[in-house]
Amino acid sequence: MQLRAEPVTAEAFAPFGTLVLPPEAPGERAFYTQWLGATAQDATPRLHVNFVPQSMLPITATVLERHPHAAQIFLPLEASRYLIVVTPSLPDGSPDLARARCFVAPGNVGVVYRAMTWHMGATALDAKAHFAVCMWRNDRDDDEFLTLTEPLELLAESKQ
């Protein structure tokens, strides 16, 4: 299956989570507290920073992941553009690949994946990237990975 990358917008991404956008005016604050917390009783907040090497489109996605107990937050510390690949779940919990989306986000926009949202791992475009990643975790059942029987071919944005 082929997916063409498209610029991310808050409206298009809303079924999968939310974008973390910088405030528009000095002194303003944008709060995302409602995304913190977890359904697992023994979960604690975890914060790490990852290094993501540069990738170039087209990309073949063979694995998706999701986190059943909490949202996962990615905040670019150093990034040009990065890829966001998401898909909702079918009633049986498997990814609904027919409704998968591929977005390109600028390096000044973070992303919050809603709990149970299938997504591809962090993928930096143009240059290497570093992300701060925050989520509530316990030490079991926090990550589910699925190897796709039919890979997703991620294509560059169309020239308009």
Side-chain angles (χ1 to χ4, degrees), residues 81-146:
R81 299 179 308 148
Y82 63 100
L83 210 55
I84 300 168
V85 177
V86 287
T87 180
S89 295
L90 292 167
D92 68 0
S94 64
D96 184 354
L97 297 178
R99 293 176 37 212
R101 303 284 299 268
C102 179
F103 300 107
V104 175
N108 68 336
V109 171
V111 65
V112 180
Y113 294 113
R114 189 181 305 281
M116 299 299 284
T117 295
W118 289 103
H119 62 91
M120 187 172 78
T123 305
L125 300 174
D126 306 323
K128 68 177 175 141
H130 293 90
F131 293 89
V133 182
C134 181
M135 71 183 287
W136 286 69
R137 303 176 65 92
N138 57 27
D139 291 322
R140 60 192 181 288
D141 302 327
D142 288 318
D143 303 305
E144 294 179 6
F145 295 93
L146 178 69

Side-chain angles (χ1 to χ4, degrees), residues 6-152:
E6 59 186 286
V8 71
T9 65
E11 295 75 27
F13 189 73
F16 310 104
T18 193
L19 300 181
V20 179
L21 302 169
E24 293 185 18
E28 286 185 357
R29 294 181 182 181
F31 289 90
Y32 296 89
T33 309
Q34 70 273 26
W35 293 97
L36 300 176
T39 59
Q41 297 244 348
D42 56 349
T44 59
R46 309 278 175 99
L47 174 68
H48 71 270
V49 175
N50 64 10
F51 179 107
V52 180
Q54 175 185 357
S55 295
M56 294 179 62
L57 292 168
I59 295 170
T60 301
T62 59
V63 175
L64 294 177
E65 63 182 91
R66 71 177 177 179
H67 310 285
H69 303 296
Q72 186 179 43
I73 304 166
F74 280 81
L75 300 172
L77 299 175
E78 173 190 23
S80 177
R81 299 179 308 148
Y82 63 100
L83 210 55
I84 300 168
V85 177
V86 287
T87 180
S89 295
L90 292 167
D92 68 0
S94 64
D96 184 354
L97 297 178
R99 293 176 37 212
R101 303 284 299 268
C102 179
F103 300 107
V104 175
N108 68 336
V109 171
V111 65
V112 180
Y113 294 113
R114 189 181 305 281
M116 299 299 284
T117 295
W118 289 103
H119 62 91
M120 187 172 78
T123 305
L125 300 174
D126 306 323
K128 68 177 175 141
H130 293 90
F131 293 89
V133 182
C134 181
M135 71 183 287
W136 286 69
R137 303 176 65 92
N138 57 27
D139 291 322
R140 60 192 181 288
D141 302 327
D142 288 318
D143 303 305
E144 294 179 6
F145 295 93
L146 178 69
T147 300
L148 301 174
T149 56
E150 179 185 344
L152 296 173

